[in-house]
Amino acid sequence: MEVVLYIVILVLFFALMIFIGVKNSRSTKSVQGFVLGSRSVGPWLSAFAYGTSYFSAVIFIGYAGQFGWKFGIAATWIGIGNALIGSLLAWAVLGKRTRVMTQQLDSATMPDFFGKRFADSKLKIAASVIVFIFLIPYTASLYKGLGSLFEMAFNIPYWVCILIMAVITGVYVLIGGYMATAWNDFIQGIVMLVGIIVVVAAVLLGYGGLSQALADLSQIDSGSLNGAYVSFFGPDLYGLLMVIILTSLGTWGLPQMVQKYYAIKNEGSIKKGMIISTLFALIVAGGCYFLGGFGRLLGGDYSGNYDAIIPALISDLNPIIIALVLVLVVAASMSTLASLVMSSSSTLTLDLIKGVRKDMGHKSQMFLIRFFIALFIVVSAVIAIVYEEFGLSFIAEMMGVSWGALAGAFLAPYLYSLYWKKTSKAGCWACFVFGVGMSLAALVISLMRSSGVLSDSFMQSFLYKYFFSSSVYVGTWTMLIGFLIVPVVSLFTRAPDREMLDKLFRPFGQMNQALEGVENLYFTKQPKPVRFTGGEADPSTDEAETPASDERTE
């Protein structure tokens, strides 16, 4: 009877997703409409699209179980960091600048932005190749955790779960494009919000309430500090900080996340979206990691099987709540999968192939975008199935380094490109090479460790312990070092054309004058004194013009 309930709820959910795809098929008549929703998406849809792309089943099943097991209740700080740094600060820093600059440059993807910002087609191609290589294993990682949950509910093979999710996602994305994805993200986001609140409450009640659960957790010895799993910063502060930085700041450099700012309607929508996405992240991410912090109450040793922790915590709950969790996990995975394949296919078509075939027509572009969406879904599903069946360490490690490679390569160049005129294409190239190089080095070291090739002296060294021992550490430090590489290289290399930069940065005249006054390293002209008026350009300055192209949508 319970299985019938699960099947009925999932079938209804899948039917709604496909219906929304069909309903939004009219928005896919143009490339801009299919890829960016014609840049007309409102704050609620944009915020939920951002949040659901941010948090997938990897968060709920994998990360919540893994980091909750390692850090205890202190893992909740990861969710708080995701809300304040990965959502609130990200929207405040990147939102307006991304929307205005990409509209001026007429760019639809992050690689296209780099290519036009620095007038270098080779830079665009390099960024496209990085996206293509590292988004595939990242996409495959979305399926992790689904197997154990569905096996608990349906007792069906893992590969069947993957195929069902892949097919449904492919159908509604191919039919309805970005707008179908945005509307489905909104519905999936509501499911995630309700689901995580209900599940956390139900699990805690099952352990006698919050106070009793904390008291029981405080009795578990961490091996060094008794009660560390209920302490403010947990048993491993360094590891906790690394996870917070990677999962919060790292999203600033992920193509599928940044693309959400491209499609938003106007500046007012950015301000509203910032608040909505922050509250969404606080509830969903904070709730997931808080729940995972109680994993050690299960007893036993789950250190080798973190994906089983959350399913074990909910296994004895009411069947209706379990059904809600099933929909929650599927919704989280489908929303992120849709965002990733949309970003991958548009990048490969518009940046890589169109960069070679400049005369490619509209119909050809639309066909290739849809073709690559289907291809990416199929390839990522095959990779996930092969990994599950054969347990290939290479695939597992590739999944681990994907996030760090993308953020390490793109974060610093992208952020500097939005705010600093002196940023040079050489600085971008240097960060691309460093980000990918460090991630590949970490991959090789990890494989050597698995094979027992690494020497004991290296594995006991400071460098290995705090840098190479975890893909989280490598990704975090690679991102942070990028913030030094870009300005250092840029100061000694040539910046883009001054006239193009003046036009591109004109909508942000007041802030640009302040930044130029601080750096005063490149431009010889001294800026006029400026008065700050709440972040808007002062009309009295000669930099305060705003292009009409930006104002039309306000």
Side-chain angles (χ1 to χ4, degrees):
M1 185 64 184
E2 293 176 2
V3 174
V4 175
L5 172 65
Y6 301 153
I7 292 175
V8 169
I9 291 177
L10 284 175
V11 168
L12 291 174
F13 177 73
F14 291 150
L16 178 60
M17 299 297 100
I18 294 175
F19 171 77
I20 290 174
V22 175
K23 191 73 174 176
N24 286 276
S25 60
R26 289 176 296 178
S27 67
T28 63
K29 303 300 182 183
S30 67
V31 173
Q32 283 279 336
F34 190 89
V35 175
L36 295 177
S38 300
R39 298 183 187 266
S40 61
V41 185
W44 283 91
L45 293 186
S46 295
F48 272 67
Y50 185 91
T52 53
S53 297
Y54 197 162
F55 309 114
S56 66
V58 176
I59 298 290
F60 183 73
I61 299 294
Y63 283 4
Q66 177 182 351
F67 297 130
W69 183 268
K70 290 183 176 181
F71 306 130
I73 295 302
T76 309
W77 284 110
I78 305 172
I80 295 173
N82 293 169
L84 299 182
I85 301 173
S87 295
L88 180 67
L89 195 59
W91 279 74
V93 173
L94 302 179
K96 178 180 178 180
R97 291 229 167 198
T98 295
R99 174 184 166 270
V100 174
M101 280 197 182
T102 56
Q103 194 170 39
Q104 289 186 99
L105 294 171
D106 192 27
S107 62
T109 65
M110 183 180 280
D112 190 39
F113 170 82
F114 282 125
K116 292 178 177 177
R117 168 70 170 80
F118 298 99
D120 186 358
S121 59
K122 293 180 181 178
L123 193 66
K124 178 174 74 171
I125 293 173
S128 302
V129 172
I130 294 172
V131 171
F132 174 72
I133 292 174
F134 289 101
L135 271 190
I136 287 287
Y138 182 26
T139 305
S141 69
L142 296 178
Y143 300 104
K144 293 177 65 179
L146 282 175
S148 55
L149 191 63
F150 271 71
E151 189 174 358
M152 178 193 74
F154 302 109
N155 195 27
I156 60 176
Y158 175 75
W159 65 269
V160 175
C161 309
I162 291 178
L163 288 182
I164 291 173
M165 193 183 85
V167 169
I168 300 299
T169 305
V171 168
Y172 79 72
V173 173
L174 288 170
I175 294 174
Y178 186 90
M179 288 306 299
T181 302
W183 274 107
N184 276 327
D185 286 347
F186 181 70
I187 294 172
Q188 290 160 353
I190 293 174
V191 172
M192 291 168 67
L193 285 171
V194 174
I196 194 62
I197 292 172
V198 171
V199 170
V200 170
V203 169
L204 291 180
L205 286 174
Y207 283 100
L210 177 60
S211 299
Q212 186 61 49
L214 289 173
D216 293 341
L217 192 62
S218 68
Q219 301 305 309
I220 299 176
D221 189 356
S222 69
S224 57
L225 298 171
N226 192 37
Y229 294 114
V230 294
S231 64
F232 200 66
F233 292 123
D236 181 9
L237 179 58
Y238 176 76
L240 179 63
L241 287 174
M242 290 294 102
V243 176
I244 292 173
I245 294 171
L246 181 67
T247 61
S248 301
L249 190 61
T251 59
W252 294 32
L254 297 181
Q256 75 277 10
M257 302 298 294
V258 173
Q259 198 170 23
K260 300 298 182 289
Y261 305 126
Y262 290 32
I264 200 164
K265 184 164 55 176
N266 52 41
E267 184 180 343
S269 296
I270 291 174
K271 294 176 181 178
K272 294 176 183 177
M274 176 176 66
I275 297 172
I276 297 167
S277 68
T278 302
L279 294 175
F280 181 92
L282 196 60
I283 295 172
V284 172
C288 285
Y289 288 113
F290 180 71
L291 176 64
F294 293 96
R296 288 184 179 267
L297 294 180
L298 291 168
D301 184 9
Y302 285 84
S303 57
N305 189 18
Y306 297 121
D307 289 353
I309 293 176
I310 299 299
L313 281 173
I314 67 171
S315 60
D316 295 328
L317 298 181
N318 185 285
I320 295 178
I321 297 178
I322 294 178
L324 180 61
V325 173
L326 287 171
V327 177
L328 183 160
V329 173
V330 171
S333 297
M334 289 174 67
S335 58
T336 308
L337 177 62
S339 177
L340 287 171
V341 298
M342 182 71 75
S343 180
S344 302
S345 61
S346 59
T347 293
L348 192 57
T349 301
L350 301 178
D351 300 329
L352 202 56
I353 297 178
K354 192 181 176 184
V356 178
R357 291 184 52 195
K358 299 185 182 298
D359 60 341
M360 188 165 54
H362 168 77
K363 290 185 178 180
S364 298
Q365 292 179 50
M366 292 295 294
F367 171 79
L368 283 177
I369 290 173
R370 285 190 165 100
F371 170 78
F372 284 122
I373 285 174
L375 180 64
F376 279 124
I377 290 176
V378 170
V379 171
S380 61
V382 170
I383 290 174
I385 292 172
V386 170
Y387 166 64
E388 182 69 18
E389 291 295 324
F390 300 101
L392 300 180
S393 59
F394 178 77
I395 292 177
E397 297 300 333
M398 275 292 288
M399 291 176 179
V401 303
S402 293
W403 181 306
L406 290 164
F410 294 145
L411 171 56
Y414 186 73
L415 186 59
Y416 278 113
S417 298
L418 293 177
Y419 280 89
W420 193 35
K421 290 181 179 180
K422 181 63 175 72
T423 309
S424 69
K425 67 179 181 181
C428 288
W429 275 112
C431 202
F432 284 7
V433 172
F434 176 77
V436 173
M438 289 306 303
S439 298
L440 293 179
L443 175 62
V444 171
I445 290 174
S446 180
L447 293 173
M448 291 173 65
R449 178 186 59 197
S450 302
S451 304
V453 177
L454 287 181
S455 65
D456 292 338
S457 60
F458 178 74
M459 293 185 67
Q460 293 171 3
S461 66
F462 180 88
L463 180 64
Y464 178 80
K465 182 178 180 181
Y466 292 102
F467 194 96
F468 285 111
S469 62
S470 168
S471 60
V472 172
Y473 299 169
V474 175
T476 302
W477 281 115
T478 301
M479 286 191 320
L480 296 178
I481 294 172
F483 284 112
L484 297 176
I485 291 176
V486 174
V488 169
V489 175
S490 295
L491 287 174
F492 294 97
T493 53
R494 184 178 179 181
D497 177 68
R498 172 66 185 269
E499 184 178 349
M500 183 274 286
L501 289 175
D502 286 344
K503 181 180 179 181
L504 187 62
F505 279 76
R506 188 171 296 142
F508 320 105
Q510 182 178 345
M511 182 176 291
N512 293 327
Q513 289 178 356
L515 290 172
E516 288 175 17
V518 172
E519 63 162 73
N520 198 23
L521 292 170
Y522 179 61
F523 298 115
T524 58
K525 179 183 177 181
Q526 293 295 323
K528 294 181 179 180
V530 294
R531 292 182 290 107
F532 286 91
T533 54
E536 297 297 326
D538 188 343
S540 65
T541 68
D542 60 358
E543 295 279 338
E545 296 179 45
T546 301
S549 60
D550 184 51
E551 292 298 319
R552 283 200 302 267
T553 56
E554 298 294 337

